[in-house]
Amino acid sequence: MKTVIAGGSGALGQRIARDLIGRGDDVVVLSRSAAPVRWGRHVRWDGRTVGSWSAELAGAVLINLCGELVFRRATPANIALLTRSRTEPSRALAQACAGLDRPLPMLVQMSTLAIYGDAGEPVLDESAAPAEGPPQMAGVARAWEEAAAQITAQRRVTLRTGIVLDPGTPAFDRLAGFVRWGLGGTMGGGGQWISWLHVDDLCAIVRSCIDEPALSGVVHATAPHPVRNRELMATLRRVLHRPVGLPSPALVVRFGSVFLGADPMLVLTGRRCVPGRLLDAGFRFTHPDLESALTDLVDGRAAPVGTAR
């Protein structure tokens, strides 16, 4: 099987590429960077206009993973950047696909559970409606999905993902860093729900979306047991053998985010999402509980993305 990963040069894209290559797929990585990728055949594009790269799409499964990292302050300029970095490549892909003799057999459109905003206590499955804001979360995600809806494919899955836990990525490294520095206590009120996922399960979910004809539409890529922020931080302290961690009230989080160049809403908001479609389809998570997932990652059993497993 041939798979094209648009925006596949980043950490998660390379994880997925390595996983698919491991099962024998021909993987093409579309990247705006001139730097070669470790996993997949590197094809350059500008992410805006149709070019010779579009020939790679013929008969291929397409995974649309384009977008700048969200770990930045929620200024109007940054929100525009986050939106543009997702919508422009999606429109270019849609234009390229419109010129194919046949529609793509399959599209896996990556998205985020942040599309539900700060959702509070309700348990959200795939039937939940997207929120109106915050603009840097739900606003960006809605624009991304709307732009990608123009990509023609015989079957499509919109994969709304939780926080993917993977060493070497900003989300994991910042959380682990706070714990190691003694700042791994409750963040904000501590009651906000965290929907999370081990990177190995993300790769397995992508494979399932490609291979299972019954899967289409919105699919939640998240572990079956979301946790509150206070449980996430306590579990990470146990795994990293740091029994004490200073709490960070909301005011401290907001103040510290200025120096980190980050958006405090990434920490202070939450969503209690469950993978209803995957569970109904019989998908089995390798790491369904948080402590075993974090132990696996911290112990190094999840190999770095630049190495073979």
Side-chain angles (χ1 to χ4, degrees):
M1 181 180 296
K2 182 178 181 180
T3 303
V4 175
I5 307 178
S9 60
L12 291 181
Q14 285 291 278
R15 287 283 191 188
I16 294 169
R18 184 187 66 181
D19 183 74
L20 295 176
I21 290 169
R23 72 172 193 171
D25 285 11
D26 173 21
V27 175
V28 174
V29 173
L30 297 182
S31 174
R32 287 172 284 195
S33 172
V37 295
R38 175 68 177 85
W39 300 97
R41 180 161 52 86
H42 183 208
V43 174
R44 290 195 69 184
W45 71 331
D46 63 6
R48 297 190 308 275
T49 58
V50 176
S52 59
W53 57 266
S54 62
E56 300 288 352
L57 296 173
V61 170
L62 172 62
I63 301 174
N64 183 12
L65 192 58
C66 295
E68 292 286 338
L69 293 174
V70 299
F71 292 91
R72 60 189 74 228
R73 295 182 64 192
T75 63
N78 281 339
I79 294 172
L81 172 64
L82 292 173
T83 304
R84 186 172 63 252
S85 67
R86 288 160 171 77
T87 57
E88 285 186 348
S90 297
R91 294 188 186 110
L93 290 167
Q95 186 178 355
C97 290
L100 297 176
D101 292 336
R102 298 178 182 176
L104 296 173
M106 171 69 187
L107 168 67
V108 179
Q109 171 60 40
M110 305 300 286
S111 185
T112 170
L113 294 175
I115 200 169
Y116 301 118
D118 189 14
E121 292 297 311
V123 178
L124 306 180
D125 63 13
E126 289 85 350
S127 66
E132 294 298 323
Q136 71 273 31
M137 301 170 102
V140 170
R142 288 170 67 110
W144 193 13
E145 291 189 10
E146 288 166 4
Q150 304 306 311
I151 301 173
T152 54
Q154 297 176 42
R155 183 166 63 92
R156 56 193 305 130
V157 168
T158 299
L159 206 56
R160 293 176 180 168
T161 64
I163 298 172
V164 180
L165 300 177
D166 182 19
T169 59
F172 186 91
D173 287 356
R174 288 194 179 188
L175 287 172
F178 289 144
V179 171
R180 292 186 175 108
W181 300 332
L183 302 174
T186 296
M187 295 182 174
Q192 59 271 39
W193 286 97
I194 309 298
S195 298
W196 60 274
L197 183 68
H198 189 294
V199 65
D200 286 350
D201 280 326
L202 172 65
C203 291
I205 289 169
V206 170
R207 292 197 308 271
S208 291
C209 288
I210 294 172
D211 296 342
E212 296 296 332
L215 283 176
S216 63
V218 173
V219 173
H220 284 181
T222 186
H225 306 298
V227 299
R228 295 188 187 273
N229 173 270
R230 65 174 68 94
E231 182 181 348
L232 169 66
M233 300 312 295
T235 305
L236 192 51
R237 290 199 305 272
R238 284 197 303 274
V239 171
L240 291 174
H241 309 292
R242 300 293 197 275
V244 177
L246 295 176
S248 299
L251 184 61
V252 173
V253 171
R254 294 182 186 279
F255 183 74
S257 67
V258 175
F259 296 94
L260 293 173
D263 178 9
M265 297 299 282
L266 294 173
V267 172
L268 299 178
T269 61
R271 293 150 290 281
R272 192 181 184 183
C273 297
V274 293
R277 298 286 308 283
L278 289 172
L279 294 175
D280 288 345
F283 181 86
R284 299 186 65 178
F285 288 82
T286 302
H287 305 281
D289 70 278
L290 181 64
E291 186 145 4
S292 69
L294 289 174
T295 299
D296 179 80
L297 294 167
V298 169
D299 285 352
R301 288 194 289 271
V305 74
T307 61
R309 297 188 69 177

